[in-house]
Amino acid sequence: MSVVREISPNVRNMKPLDYEILARRQNLIEKELRQGVRKPFKEVLDVSMSDLQMSGLKPLSFVRQVLAACLYPELLNSNKLPVDVRQRAQRLLGECAGASVGSYTATKGIPEIVQRISEYITRRDGGVPCSPENIFISSGSQWSLLNILKVLLFESSPKRGILVPVPSHVTTTLSIPSLGGVVIPYYLSEEQGWQLQVEELQRALDSAKAWCKPVTLYIINPGNPPGQIQSRKSMQEVIQFVSEKRLFLLADEVYQNLIYGENSEFVSYKRVLGEMGHPLSDTVELASFHSASKGFTAECGLRGGYVELVNVDPAVMKHIYALFSKDSCGPVLGQMALDLALNPPQPGDPSYPLYHTETEHIRKSLLHNIKRVSEILNSLPGFSCQPVQGGSFAYARLFLPPSAIQKAEELGLKPDTYYCVRLLEEAGVLTLPGSEFGQKEGTHHMRFCITTPQERMEEVLRRITNFHTQFMRNVSETEADRV
Amino acid sequence: MSVVREISPNVRNMKPLDYEILARRQNLIEKELRQGVRKPFKEVLDVSMSDLQMSGLKPLSFVRQVLAACLYPELLNSNKLPVDVRQRAQRLLGECAGASVGSYTATKGIPEIVQRISEYITRRDGGVPCSPENIFISSGSQWSLLNILKVLLFESSPKRGILVPVPSHVTTTLSIPSLGGVVIPYYLSEEQGWQLQVEELQRALDSAKAWCKPVTLYIINPGNPPGQIQSRKSMQEVIQFVSEKRLFLLADEVYQNLIYGENSEFVSYKRVLGEMGHPLSDTVELASFHSASKGFTAECGLRGGYVELVNVDPAVMKHIYALFSKDSCGPVLGQMALDLALNPPQPGDPSYPLYHTETEHIRKSLLHNIKRVSEILNSLPGFSCQPVQGGSFAYARLFLPPSAIQKAEELGLKPDTYYCVRLLEEAGVLTLPGSEFGQKEGTHHMRFCITTPQERMEEVLRRITNFHTQFMRNVSETEADRV
Ligand SMILES: Cc1ncc(COP(=O)(O)O)c(C=O)c1O
Ligand SMILES: Cc1ncc(COP(=O)(O)O)c(C=O)c1O
């Protein structure tokens, strides 16, 4: 018997995801393709994640030029790079210890970058003030969120509860039990375009009070998996609600710069809170998260995110500082990517024209994609898809026939996982099932990313259409046979 | 009263470090210098951390060229970069999803890099086999270590104990209580050049059994803060010991490529274990850590490290995988830096001559530094310093006179913190006190990094000498006055 068989129950209780089932099959299929095995497709199209560059969208030249010059300062001597690129790189290098991206930084990040993030926030929020003291940069926003959860959740009796939307981005939910907390699900209303309803928050809270102590509310806006955007009015209601119920508000706002709907506008919780004035604006405790991964910069691989804390007691801030400092610091190039994402070239700068062309190209592709996704999925029997207003994903409802559900059960798979496995194997499209994100009992969904080049989106939709038509036809034949 | 006042006791109990006291004074002094305040020095020399580039050592051109080309692939078209650089970059890009460093990678890291790390380990260990399955890349080795601690330590009764060297690199020790574990200190023998002695491990274990359940032994080799290197014989004894006592062995081997002593050689625990043969080589559970931060590559800011797990039950490996997957992935450029650090250019490669010149320059500087540190510190009354055989630091013993100790107590400071504060304020040298790392009751020490350019080391030693002489003179005058 080995020592580590007796491992932390917190770690032991972490469940593997259905994603793993799909990823394993994907690996197998790709191996077979490399070995020359004939399939109805030449490559797997992976639209399971929000990862613009993996999907084939190009990184922004401005960001890459500045970062390359920071890494290899010889490039500063070449006039191949635009002058504003060289100036930005020079300035960033001057902000690094030893003028090198190879040095550790302060725990909270390079102070000048933190300062510029606070200026971005103030600008974004129409002047609601932001103090750099309240910002922590880390290796991606996921990590910041984990750290804040570590502060709010711990083993206690009754257990501490966190209100989490259903459906919800999965990794967040994963960590909660391992920290000793419990998930209190609240359901987004699919029929109302996945909007959050305060009555539902109230219901979830009431039902939870018997078995846990609710301490915090987690919101994703713009949403993931569904790409809804919350209205200002709804946010005001939520702020009233958390204030009355004394909940800490966690606002995951990483998709704030991916907004598509004509009448949709992103407003941050920080801003709405600030505009609501005293006493709310001085008392409601808020953590807002943002990232270099999500947005047109989309540098997921460089790992840069931040959290801004609002109205948190200074004594607690000290402990949060201590917690972040255990992790040394976020990667310097991720910190810089965040800075460049939030402070892009402005009209008049030498880099602006190219920057503008590149971002407009991405914007147009994404607008095209969500239009096509809506058209096509809503025309297929057995599918329906609420409008995508922001974010990276379409989240479509699947109406699976009883025989497909039965077949899935026979195979020990959840029905939508079964659908996704078959879509992967037969059409070479990797998506994720709704069961991964939570869904209303008896409903089924499929998530796929729409932040991908137009041609790729078209090919994905073509494959889905063909597969789905065939799938439904076979299924109805089976069902007819049975009658 | 706010929700977050009631925060996790694990977070609340984390103690701030004396390092914070010193860092705050450093900031203040640097601000004053910028404002033109006259001081006996023009800049603060920070030798508190192991951060080669912050200290002014240059990054390796090969590494930076490859990474810059990966970030900005336009550079691949320029023949300004050596052909092997371009080949390496092209290959690395081909290993990224979407051929971009901006995509997320697999949880464990880019598979081809993991594969090459396993080949490095096999080569390093004279053929002892290594499976890529057992390797996890993360955002620095510190993070890997934290994850493995999360598996081994948890709230239980009796508490689970970890044997930790005194003195020890501080961040590791910090996390233990917050995970529910307890530190069992074992003392390195300063008189024997800071060697680890198995009798001392036995003593520590025996004394701990009354109040906790020892489950793991943490070793730093080459050491930090003292730069000792463990002998093969001593490692064999340790392996016997952990096998008998059923302890999980954590080998922090991040300084494995910084070796100075003429007769010193680094041997990994993995190798010694492998060479000891059955049954030990199949049963002793080991985690070995390495990093892109420590070594001539020294890319601390890019954040890349790994852990190799040996003899860990496959069922447990699954949980460890789940734990790492919560953190998405390590930064891509940190992963690549790790790859390049472990697989540098070889004789015959176009980049080799420059690579060789640069690394030889660093090597010579460091050899010069440790020679000078030993000469000078051991000639100053009140100082003694064991030979530095490897790693980044000199760890010198300070013999402080009673009046200095009393003065420190009056100020509410630990005696060596007091010394370091005065050294900082009067001579502009930032070092860290032994109290930060743990030390034998009644002894005092000072740690400073020796991985710095020669001229800077000379200036640091000059300042220490002048300050120390003055400090001891004033102190003895005070003491004479009192008589
Ligand atoms: C809602 C949400 N938050 C956070 C993240 C993680 O982002 P980061 O790369 O900054 O850790 C994601 C990634 O998909 C996300 O969807
Ligand atoms: C012994 C030891 N382990 C680990 C680390 C952390 O290294 P990394 O940058 O890979 O997290 C350090 C840093 O100083 C160290 O001294």
Side-chain angles (χ1 to χ4, degrees), chain B residues 5 67 156-157 300 305 317 362 413 419 433 435 465:
Chain B
R5 259 176 224 258
L67 296 182
S156 64
S157 175
C300 306
M317 288 297 281
I362 301 178
L413 293 173
Y419 183 93
S435 49
T465 305

Side-chain angles (χ1 to χ4, degrees), chain A residues 104 327-328, chain B residues 49-50 139-143 145 169 171-172 218 220-224 252-255 289-294 299-300 303-306 393 447:
Chain A
Y104 291 114
D327 307 323
S328 92
Chain B
M49 297 291 170
S50 159
S139 186
S141 66
Q142 191 60 33
W143 197 358
L145 179 59
H169 171 55
T171 2
T172 317
Y218 176 60
I220 311 174
N221 179 47
N224 173 7
D252 193 332
E253 300 178 318
V254 295
Y255 294 106
F289 303 88
H290 193 21
S291 169
S293 303
K294 315 290 160 187
E299 295 289 2
C300 306
R303 313 302 299 123
Y306 75 74
F393 297 105
R447 182 188 87 168

Side-chain angles (χ1 to χ4, degrees), chain A residues 103-402:
Chain A
S103 307
Y104 291 114
T105 75
T107 291
K108 302 171 76 173
I110 293 175
E112 291 86 348
I113 293 184
V114 174
Q115 171 67 36
R116 286 192 294 272
I117 291 176
S118 80
E119 290 160 12
Y120 158 81
I121 294 174
T122 310
R123 220 162 48 231
R124 177 196 72 186
D125 293 344
V128 174
C130 168
S131 160
E133 291 297 309
N134 296 333
I135 295 169
F136 292 81
I137 301 181
S138 67
S139 186
S141 66
Q142 191 60 32
W143 197 357
S144 299
L145 178 60
L146 256 169
N147 269 344
I148 302 303
L149 289 178
K150 276 185 207 160
V151 177
L152 295 170
L153 303 178
F154 48 93
E155 290 295 348
S156 65
S157 176
K159 280 189 176 281
R160 292 167 71 90
I162 168 169
L163 286 149
V164 173
V166 176
S168 166
H169 171 55
V170 69
T171 4
T172 316
T173 335
L174 258 185
S175 331
I176 294 167
S178 76
L179 295 169
V182 280
V183 171
I184 310 169
Y186 66 91
Y187 289 82
L188 302 178
S189 168
E190 176 159 13
E191 294 69 27
Q192 271 72 49
W194 297 108
Q195 285 304 315
L196 179 158
Q197 290 166 322
V198 173
E199 311 82 71
E200 168 59 11
L201 288 181
Q202 182 69 58
R203 182 208 59 76
L205 196 77
D206 290 343
S207 77
K209 275 189 176 153
W211 48 279
C212 74
K213 176 176 155 61
V215 293
T216 177
L217 165 62
Y218 175 61
I219 283 181
I220 313 173
N221 179 47
N224 173 8
Q228 88 286 12
I229 296 180
Q230 213 183 350
S231 69
R232 197 184 225 107
K233 180 160 163 297
S234 168
M235 295 167 78
Q236 290 166 342
E237 290 169 9
V238 165
I239 288 172
Q240 286 287 1
F241 179 81
V242 296
S243 171
E244 275 164 32
K245 312 296 177 192
R246 301 185 155 283
L247 300 174
F248 191 106
L249 181 57
L250 299 169
D252 193 332
E253 300 178 318
V254 296
Y255 294 106
Q256 61 190 261
N257 295 325
L258 288 179
I259 308 298
Y260 316 117
E262 269 175 32
N263 304 313
S264 337
E265 179 201 13
F266 169 78
V267 199
S268 76
Y269 264 100
K270 169 85 181 302
R271 176 174 194 159
V272 177
L273 183 61
E275 291 174 349
M276 286 172 88
H278 312 281
L280 291 172
S281 61
D282 305 329
T283 51
V284 169
E285 292 160 296
L286 166 70
S288 156
F289 303 88
H290 193 20
S291 168
S293 303
K294 315 291 161 187
F296 292 163
T297 302
E299 295 289 2
C300 306
L302 301 183
R303 312 302 299 125
Y306 75 75
V307 57
E308 182 195 8
L309 293 154
V310 181
N311 291 327
V312 175
D313 192 283
V316 174
M317 288 297 279
K318 262 197 213 151
H319 294 297
I320 294 178
Y321 179 86
L323 188 64
F324 274 84
S325 59
K326 277 197 316 180
D327 307 323
S328 92
C329 63
V332 175
L333 293 168
Q335 297 188 29
M336 291 178 168
L338 194 55
D339 184 34
L340 299 169
L342 304 183
N343 298 289
Q346 297 302 312
D349 291 345
S351 292
Y352 184 76
L354 180 58
Y355 171 82
H356 183 70
T357 309
E358 291 175 345
T359 50
E360 277 311 293
H361 171 75
I362 301 178
R363 194 187 317 275
K364 283 198 188 115
S365 307
L366 305 191
L367 286 173
H368 166 96
N369 291 351
I370 55 168
K371 185 161 153 282
R372 293 284 291 156
V373 164
S374 175
E375 274 169 20
I376 292 182
L377 290 196
N378 286 317
S379 75
L380 286 175
F383 256 126
S384 90
C385 191
Q386 294 289 330
V388 177
Q389 300 177 307
S392 252
F393 297 105
Y395 195 57
R397 180 148 178 199
L398 264 172
F399 297 87
L400 295 174

Side-chain angles (χ1 to χ4, degrees), chain A residues 1-9 11-12 14 20 50-51 53-54 64-65 67-68 70-72 75 81 97-98 100-104 139 142-143 146 150-154 160 171 174-175 178 213 215 246-248 285 293-294 298-303 312-313 316 319 321-323 325-333, chain B residues 1-9 11-12 14 20 50-51 53-54 64-65 67-68 70-72 75 81 97-98 100-104 139 142-143 146 150-154 160 171 174-175 178 213 215 246-248 285 293-294 298-303 312-313 316 319 321-323 325-333:
Chain A
M1 238 284 283
S2 89
V3 151
V4 288
R5 259 176 224 259
E6 198 187 332
I7 62 170
S8 169
V11 175
R12 204 173 47 229
M14 287 186 354
E20 297 295 332
S50 159
D51 185 335
Q53 299 192 27
M54 186 199 73
R64 292 304 186 86
Q65 286 171 341
L67 297 182
C70 287
L71 255 175
Y72 188 53
L75 296 173
L81 295 180
S100 171
V101 299
S103 307
Y104 291 114
S139 186
Q142 191 60 32
W143 197 357
L146 256 169
K150 276 185 207 160
V151 177
L152 295 170
L153 303 178
F154 48 93
R160 292 167 71 90
T171 4
L174 258 185
S175 331
S178 76
K213 176 176 155 61
V215 293
R246 301 185 155 283
L247 300 174
F248 191 106
E285 292 160 296
S293 303
K294 315 291 161 187
E299 295 289 2
C300 306
L302 301 183
R303 312 302 299 125
V312 175
D313 192 283
V316 174
H319 294 297
Y321 179 86
L323 188 64
S325 59
K326 277 197 316 180
D327 307 323
S328 92
C329 63
V332 175
L333 293 168
Chain B
M1 238 284 281
S2 86
V3 152
V4 288
R5 259 176 224 258
E6 197 187 332
I7 62 169
S8 171
V11 176
R12 203 174 47 229
M14 288 187 351
E20 297 295 332
S50 159
D51 185 335
Q53 300 192 26
M54 186 197 74
R64 292 305 186 87
Q65 286 171 339
L67 296 182
C70 286
L71 253 176
Y72 188 53
L75 296 172
L81 295 179
S100 171
V101 299
S103 307
Y104 292 114
S139 186
Q142 191 60 33
W143 197 358
L146 256 169
K150 274 185 209 163
V151 177
L152 295 170
L153 304 178
F154 48 92
R160 292 167 70 90
T171 2
L174 259 184
S175 331
S178 76
K213 176 176 157 60
V215 293
R246 304 185 152 281
L247 299 173
F248 191 106
E285 291 160 297
S293 303
K294 315 290 160 187
E299 295 289 2
C300 306
L302 301 184
R303 313 302 299 123
V312 175
D313 192 283
V316 174
H319 294 298
Y321 179 86
L323 189 64
S325 60
K326 277 196 314 179
D327 307 322
S328 93
C329 64
V332 175
L333 292 167

